[in-house]
Amino acid sequence: GARGEGRGVGAAELLGVQRGRGGFEAGIMSVPRSLGLRRPVIILPEDIGWDLDDDQLESILLHETAHVVHRDHWVGLLARLTAVMLWWHPLVHRMNRRLADLREEICDNIVVRQRGNGRGYAHMLVELAARTTSRPALPAAVRWKLPRQEAKP
C-alpha cells in the first residue's frame, strides 16, 4: 500500500522515467511482477511489506521498473509469438529461455549497480523464492484427487 507507493517514485527517478500510474497489491501473487504492454504496472504481493525492509522494497521496485523501462513485456510477447509460429524448432525454445534469463540478469545488474549491495540483494531474492514454495498454488493448478480403484484380480 502506502509504503510501496513512495518507493516507486524513487526507483523511477533512478532510471530516468516519469511516474505514471501507481502499483497495485494482489493477495494471489507470491512475488512482485510488472505486467502490461501499453501501460505497465508493478504488482506487489499484499503482505510483502511485512517481510521486507525499505531498502529491500526499493530494490524490488527498481528491478521491476527496469523491466518496464526496457520494454521487456514487449520482448517477451515477441518471443512467445515466435515460439508459437516456430513451435517445432528446438533452438527457438532454447533462445527464448536464454532471452528470459538475460532480461532478468540485466535488471538484477541494474539494481546491484544502483544500490551497491549485491550480497544483500541476492539474499533477498532467495527469501522471495522461498515465498513461492511456502504458499499454496493457484486454484487453477489444483489437482482433484480421484477415488482409488481396486485392482481386479
Side-chain angles (χ1 to χ4, degrees), residues 19-91:
R19 182 170 185 228
R21 281 204 263 178
F24 295 95
E25 290 181 339
I28 199 166
M29 300 185 88
S30 59
V31 293
R33 305 194 175 274
S34 52
L35 298 173
L37 292 174
R38 291 185 54 205
R39 295 177 122 180
V41 295
I42 295 172
I43 300 175
L44 299 173
E46 66 182 356
D47 62 345
I48 201 163
W50 298 105
D51 298 336
L52 304 174
D53 61 31
D54 286 346
D55 189 52
Q56 292 172 322
L57 187 58
E58 178 114 6
S59 293
I60 287 173
L61 291 171
L62 180 59
H63 175 98
E64 296 303 327
T65 303
H67 281 298
V68 172
V69 168
H70 290 130
R71 293 177 169 66
D72 283 347
H73 304 90
W74 285 101
V75 174
L77 176 63
L78 290 173
R80 286 181 190 90
L81 290 175
T82 302
V84 167
M85 291 186 292
L86 299 172
W87 60 268
W88 48 268
H89 203 299
L91 291 179

Side-chain angles (χ1 to χ4, degrees), residues 72-141:
D72 283 347
H73 304 90
W74 285 101
V75 174
L77 176 63
L78 290 173
R80 286 181 190 90
L81 290 175
T82 302
V84 167
M85 291 186 292
L86 299 172
W87 60 268
W88 48 268
H89 203 299
L91 291 179
V92 170
H93 300 288
R94 178 183 250 173
M95 177 201 65
N96 282 347
R97 282 190 299 274
R98 181 67 179 134
L99 187 59
D101 290 345
L102 285 173
R103 290 192 326 252
E104 289 301 321
E105 189 176 325
I106 288 168
C107 292
D108 288 338
N109 288 340
I110 288 170
V111 172
V112 171
R113 187 173 55 240
Q114 293 288 337
R115 311 289 294 162
N117 185 1
R119 183 167 289 185
Y121 182 63
H123 180 69
M124 182 205 51
L125 291 177
V126 170
E127 288 178 17
L128 285 175
R131 289 172 62 103
T132 63
T133 60
S134 65
R135 284 194 161 186
L138 297 175

